């Protein structure tokens, strides 16, 4: 049992409480003022410091590209086939890679790890905690989404070798073709379930991996920087009645009214990076604030390792400097990210019954000079200054 006392607690969803948090078996069991606690509980005196939920990055490649390594540590893109929806990061993540420790020390307690964007369909996406030696024990939810990519990345990966796709038209066509095959596969399964005289289709691992997408159990996680690529993703989603999240959304500020009309959640970033390719020419830190102020649910991403994961709070702070409301920036790296990933029942805010993923800061976490004093994941102290 763990007892945190005398904290300025930002619950995110229920305001700020000057008080205490009681934790048992990795869960928050009480939060409020003047809480009594068992004498045998471990006590942390927050001493008036800031207490926040652990921060969440909704789009990373954590553990798939190991820090300071080249080919040997690169496991995020299977660049032999543009259609690989069946791949899952759980089989590629190295949880002992040092970026996990840096993340914990920086107050990041949960992430979504995705395959890269070389492929039109890159694979499934997984939500994990940032502590552990065995990835199986770190999983929050798997899968949380299926990764697809538009624009320069799949074009440059395959087009330069005279393979398809070389154009945006081919990317869209390949998506439609594969989704139609998956629909037919699902129809055959349903027909067999209704009448076993109908032949059950032979097992197809690619098609199986797309069934949760067709059933709207998980969204497509869309890599798209340009406005036209976002519109193509939306067009295809409507054709097949699919859920989407629009990740990167670099030109989102140019199409605010259209995105509002469509209503898909967005993940903005990485904004703390160079304009390394043509489709980033409109990159600006203004995007998150413009979309949020217009009424959209915005999450933020470092796209680690593009921007090191522990700089997520700094990215949120710069977004505030560029017009995002402070409360919305905090939501973008807590509850909004959790909702986007479908894990808000466990993380993203400080509430009774949720995982005890808690970070104590010596000052405002979005200020660059602030320090993490304690990081707590599942009720256990995993870092202390």
């Amino acid at each position: 049992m763990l007892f945190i006392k005398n904290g300025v607690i930002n619950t995110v969803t229920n305001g700020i409480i000057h008080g205490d948090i009681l934790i048992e078996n990795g869960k928050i069991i009480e939060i409020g003022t003047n809480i009594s606690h068992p004498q045998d509980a471990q006590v942390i005196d927050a001493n008036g410091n800031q207490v926040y939920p652990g921060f969440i990055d909704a789009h990373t490649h954590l553990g798939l590209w190991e820090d300071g390594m080249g080919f040997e540590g690169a496991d995020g893109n299977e660049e032999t086939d543009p259609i690989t929806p069946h791949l899952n990061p759980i089989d590629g993540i190295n949880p002992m890679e040092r970026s996990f420790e840096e993340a914990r020390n920086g107050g990041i307690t949960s992430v979504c790890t995705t395959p890269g964007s070389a492929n039109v369909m890159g694979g499934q996406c997984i939500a994990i905690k940032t502590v552990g030696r065995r990835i199986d024990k770190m999983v929050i939810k798997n899968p949380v989404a299926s990764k697809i990519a538009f624009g320069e990345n799949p074009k440059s990966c395959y087009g330069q070798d005279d393979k398809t796709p070389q154009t945006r038209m081919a990317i869209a066509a390949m998506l439609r073709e594969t989704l139609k095959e998956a629909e037919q596969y699902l129809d055959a399964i349903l027909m067999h379930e209704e009448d076993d005289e109908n032949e059950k289709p032979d097992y197809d691992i690619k098609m199986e991996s797309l069934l949760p997408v067709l059933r709207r159990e998980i969204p497509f996680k869309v890599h798209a920087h340009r406005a036209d690529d976002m519109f193509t993703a939306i067009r295809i989603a409507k054709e097949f009645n699919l859920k989407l999240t629009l990740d990167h959304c670099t030109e989102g500020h140019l199409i605010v009214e259209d995105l509002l009309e469509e209503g898909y959640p967005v993940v903005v970033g990485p904004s703390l990076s160079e304009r390394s390719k043509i489709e980033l020419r409109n990159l600006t830190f203004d995007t998150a604030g413009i979309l949020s102020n217009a009424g959209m649910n915005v999450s933020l991403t470092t796209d680690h390792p593009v921007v090191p994961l522990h700089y997520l709070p700094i990215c949120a702070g710069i977004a505030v400097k560029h017009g995002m409301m402070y409360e919305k920036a905090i939501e973008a790296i807590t509850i909004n990210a959790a909702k986007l990933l479908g894990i808000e029942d466990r993380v993203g805010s400080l509430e009774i019954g949720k995982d005890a993923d808690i970070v104590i800061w010596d000052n405002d976490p979005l200020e660059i000079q602030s320090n993490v004093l304690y990081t707590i994941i599942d009720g256990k102290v995993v870092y202390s200054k």
Side-chain angles (χ1 to χ4, degrees), residues 35-72:
I35 297 174
S36 59
H37 66 281
Q39 291 186 348
D40 60 349
Q42 177 186 355
V43 178
I44 295 176
D45 189 349
N47 197 29
N49 283 304
Q50 305 289 314
V51 181
Y52 278 77
F55 291 156
I56 305 168
D57 193 320
H59 180 121
T60 78
H61 309 287
L62 182 64
L64 291 178
W65 272 275
E66 298 185 46
D67 188 67
M69 296 180 68
F71 173 80
E72 295 82 2

Side-chain angles (χ1 to χ4, degrees), residues 316-334:
I318 299 175
V320 173
K321 181 179 179 179
H322 283 255
M324 196 174 194
M325 294 178 60
Y326 182 90
E327 296 81 4
K328 295 300 181 181
I330 292 293
E331 290 175 4
I333 56 175
T334 55

Side-chain angles (χ1 to χ4, degrees), residues 4-277:
I4 301 171
K5 67 177 184 179
N6 300 329
V8 180
I9 305 166
N10 190 327
T11 67
V12 175
T13 52
N14 294 303
I16 295 175
I17 299 170
H18 293 260
D20 318 312
I21 303 174
L22 185 60
I23 298 160
E24 186 176 25
N25 296 325
K27 301 288 185 180
I28 298 172
I29 63 171
E30 197 169 354
I31 183 169
T33 57
N34 300 316
I35 297 174
S36 59
H37 66 281
Q39 291 186 348
D40 60 349
Q42 177 186 355
V43 178
I44 295 176
D45 189 349
N47 197 29
N49 283 304
Q50 305 289 314
V51 181
Y52 278 77
F55 291 156
I56 305 168
D57 193 320
H59 180 121
T60 78
H61 309 287
L62 182 64
L64 291 178
W65 272 275
E66 298 185 46
D67 188 67
M69 296 180 68
F71 173 80
E72 295 82 2
D75 287 295
N77 279 320
E78 180 59 40
E79 298 181 24
T80 58
D81 180 355
I83 303 294
T84 58
H86 55 303
L87 305 185
N88 193 288
I90 198 169
D91 300 312
I93 294 171
N94 178 9
M96 298 186 189
E97 197 264 307
R98 67 181 178 186
S99 295
F100 281 87
E101 180 181 6
E102 292 178 341
R104 296 191 297 271
N105 298 356
I108 318 302
T109 57
S110 301
V111 303
C112 175
T113 289
T114 86
S117 51
N119 292 345
V120 177
M121 287 185 167
Q124 296 176 317
C125 310
I126 183 173
I128 58 174
K129 299 291 180 78
T130 57
V131 67
R133 293 177 300 179
R134 183 176 178 179
I135 190 64
D136 308 76
K137 297 181 179 180
M138 300 161 63
V139 175
I140 306 171
K141 183 180 178 182
N142 184 28
V144 294
S146 181
K147 176 74 175 291
I148 61 175
F150 292 81
E152 289 184 39
N153 286 15
K155 282 181 59 177
S156 63
C157 178
Y158 292 95
Q160 64 184 359
D161 295 326
D162 291 328
K163 297 178 181 178
T164 189
Q166 291 188 344
T167 65
R168 283 177 163 82
M169 294 183 293
I171 291 170
M174 295 179 83
L175 280 169
R176 288 188 174 96
E177 180 180 34
T178 307
L179 286 169
K180 180 56 68 175
E181 291 174 0
E183 280 188 336
Q184 293 170 349
Y185 184 81
L186 177 57
D187 288 344
I189 290 174
L190 295 175
M191 289 175 63
H192 174 74
E193 290 175 351
E194 292 174 3
D195 185 351
D196 59 14
E197 290 187 4
N198 291 310
E199 186 176 354
K200 185 178 181 179
D202 293 336
Y203 178 81
D204 186 322
I205 190 171
K206 289 186 177 182
M207 298 300 103
E208 286 286 336
S209 70
L210 289 170
L211 295 184
V213 177
L214 294 179
R215 291 170 174 152
R216 295 179 60 85
E217 296 167 357
I218 60 173
F220 268 144
K221 196 168 187 61
V222 177
H223 166 103
H225 290 283
R226 274 180 23 177
D228 57 335
D229 289 329
M230 287 184 265
F231 290 146
T232 299
I234 291 169
R235 188 180 311 117
I236 293 172
K238 287 182 173 180
E239 291 173 19
F240 290 89
N241 189 29
L242 307 176
K243 297 168 69 175
L244 290 182
T245 70
L246 297 172
D247 291 39
H248 302 311
C249 201
T250 303
E251 293 188 351
H253 58 285
L254 303 179
I255 53 171
V256 179
E257 292 182 1
D258 296 283
L259 293 179
L260 274 172
E261 178 184 343
E262 299 296 345
Y264 296 102
V266 298
V267 183
V268 175
S271 303
L272 190 63
S273 62
E274 63 175 329
R275 297 179 181 90
S276 57
K277 50 189 176 181

Side-chain angles (χ1 to χ4, degrees), residues 50 52 55 313-314 317 326 330 333 361 363-368 370-371:
Q50 305 289 314
Y52 278 77
F55 291 156
I314 293 175
Y326 182 90
I330 292 293
I333 56 175
W361 295 80
N363 210 325
D364 180 348
L366 304 194
E367 291 292 336
I368 193 169
S370 298
N371 298 294

